[in-house]
Amino acid sequence: MPSPKPKTTQKVTKAVIPAAGLGTRFLPATKAMPKEMLTVVNKPIIQYAIEEAYEAGIREFIIITGRGKAVMENHFDHPYELADTLQKKGKLAELESVNKVLPSDARIYYTRQGQPLGLGHAIACAAAITGDDPFAVLLPDDIICRDKENPVAEMIKIYQQTGQSVVLAEEVPHDRTNQYGILSLAGKGIQNRRAQVSSFVEKPKIEEAPSNLAIIGRYVLTPAHMPQLAQTKPGKAGEIQLTDAMVEVCKREGFMGYVSQSKRFDCGDKVGFQMANLYFAMQDPYIASRLQPFLHQTAAQYDRRREVRLPETTKSAGKKAS
Ligand code: UTP
């Protein structure tokens, strides 16, 4: 059977990367250092997002920055003096790692969000650069492993097949649906990991969650989102919510959900950040060979400390019961 005709031939070559948040969960580290520049092994978090988007065909990156975030611009700049020194010293592997930070056919634009008024507001700051083009949004906090697939590349295909915006979703335990933006599904539900979305509900009460599919930090959005964001009033916590604009665009244009099967680390959270560091460190055979015995040893010490504490817990529990 011939495959259905694509609904749009418009390519998605631009991505908005919001990086103007305050990163309060990492204070005091983020007092002077942007959260997006914290390193996972040897690369800042934001570089993982740039690499993922580039691999999916994105060539123009719009990074939303804020006060104290200029170090990100330095990171993606070509460091002439460093490159020259590494070349002269014959440190070619290091030189390659520096040159790979930004491929030569990629362009980065920086635009400031004067005040952190929410994710929707941050994305709207890129409107003059995205213009009438569709665009991807990648929240750099979420590092997504690409050993199975590149979700953004898949989402761009769905956009081209349907002409509709696409959001990446992840199944979460039902009792945690109140922590996420949740998809409400239309019609046939999930088929081949795709679903037609009827709406979105931001952090619903658990008993009111329309599904257990949570929005995670990847979107491919139609141009209609920018004018919609411009009219969106502050919602929860006085912030301009991206989800509110998506609800309106969904009513007019429809919206697709794509269910992720990729491992994801929420690096905006201290636990997720540590897990990402361990996971990526263990991918490097040299680091893994040194780290693994240390991890075993540390885990064994932790278990022993718990064993020492256990009898006390048992004693006090016994007292309570009597
Ligand atoms: P978060 O919700 O994690 O907020 O933002 P945050 O301020 O960075 O961190 P905490 O909660 O205070 O610890 C998700 C992404 O959206 C960006 C952030 O930089 C992050 O990449 N963001 C958020 C903005 O660019 N502007 C905003 O107003 C809010």
Side-chain angles (χ1 to χ4, degrees):
M1 217 171 72
S3 47
K5 234 178 132 200
K7 285 273 167 50
T8 174
T9 49
Q10 239 182 336
K11 288 195 167 152
V12 183
T13 58
K14 294 180 180 173
V16 179
I17 312 222
L22 296 177
T24 54
R25 283 171 287 170
F26 276 89
L27 282 169
T30 45
K31 205 167 151 250
M33 166 70 88
K35 173 178 69 176
E36 298 76 13
M37 286 299 292
L38 297 176
T39 54
V40 169
V41 189
N42 64 340
K43 289 190 286 193
I45 293 176
I46 192 165
Q47 198 180 321
Y48 288 82
I50 299 273
E51 287 174 4
E52 179 189 334
Y54 183 85
E55 193 188 280
I58 301 293
R59 292 295 177 268
E60 291 180 86
F61 298 90
I62 306 142
I63 300 185
I64 314 298
T65 71
R67 214 162 287 116
K69 302 259 183 176
V71 66
M72 285 192 290
E73 296 182 34
N74 296 337
H75 178 73
F76 290 110
D77 202 7
H78 180 66
Y80 172 75
E81 283 163 7
L82 176 62
D84 190 50
T85 309
L86 292 173
Q87 179 81 51
K88 283 182 183 145
K89 291 193 166 183
K91 296 199 162 194
L92 300 184
E94 290 81 353
L95 177 63
E96 198 201 336
S97 76
V98 166
N99 286 339
K100 262 184 20 197
V101 164
L102 188 68
S104 56
D105 59 344
R107 288 186 74 169
I108 299 200
Y109 307 89
Y110 299 93
T111 183
R112 276 200 176 216
Q113 184 189 19
Q115 276 179 287
L117 295 178
L119 181 58
H121 181 256
I123 292 167
C125 293
I129 309 172
T130 57
D132 293 330
D133 294 327
F135 55 96
V137 174
L138 289 90
L139 304 192
D141 289 12
D142 274 334
I143 296 187
I144 295 184
C145 297
R146 308 195 297 281
D147 42 357
K148 288 195 186 129
E149 64 176 10
N150 182 321
V152 176
E154 297 303 313
M155 291 161 72
I156 291 174
K157 282 187 210 154
I158 299 172
Y159 163 72
Q160 283 164 342
Q161 284 158 6
T162 62
Q164 296 179 15
S165 301
V166 190
V167 65
L168 191 62
E170 190 176 85
E171 291 186 69
V172 295
H174 201 71
D175 60 0
R176 286 178 53 207
T177 45
N178 58 350
Q179 296 169 21
Y180 294 90
I182 298 292
L183 277 60
S184 178
L185 303 187
K188 299 175 184 152
I190 306 169
Q191 290 191 315
N192 192 21
R193 295 173 54 203
R194 292 152 172 75
Q196 185 72 52
V197 175
S198 62
S199 197
F200 302 94
V201 192
E202 189 61 30
K203 299 184 179 156
K205 286 186 188 149
I206 292 169
E207 59 282 9
E208 289 170 11
S211 76
N212 70 337
L213 286 177
I215 299 175
I216 52 176
R218 301 292 181 267
Y219 310 77
V220 171
L221 300 177
T222 58
H225 283 82
M226 286 302 188
Q228 189 62 50
L229 279 167
Q231 327 173 357
T232 303
K233 302 261 176 309
K236 278 190 183 167
E239 294 186 341
I240 295 177
Q241 303 283 350
L242 173 61
T243 321
D244 289 345
M246 285 163 51
V247 167
E248 293 308 313
V249 175
C250 176
K251 285 182 200 160
R252 299 199 301 270
E253 299 184 345
F255 218 112
M256 296 296 293
Y258 181 61
V259 182
S260 174
Q261 285 183 345
S262 304
K263 189 182 274 299
R264 173 181 72 97
F265 296 100
D266 176 5
C267 292
D269 166 78
K270 287 197 269 285
V271 177
F273 177 74
Q274 298 305 335
M275 286 178 173
N277 265 291
L278 288 176
Y279 181 85
F280 287 103
M282 293 299 285
Q283 309 292 309
D284 178 316
Y286 172 72
I287 306 179
S289 69
R290 315 277 306 262
L291 189 56
Q292 196 179 20
F294 170 78
L295 288 176
H296 279 305
Q297 204 183 17
T298 309
Q301 273 171 2
Y302 175 78
D303 282 346
R304 274 200 297 278
R305 276 206 301 273
R306 275 189 357 159
E307 274 166 27
V308 171
R309 265 190 252 123
L310 265 178
E312 279 176 36
T313 324
T314 322
K315 216 164 93 189
S316 61
K319 246 187 196 169
K320 237 184 190 171
S322 64

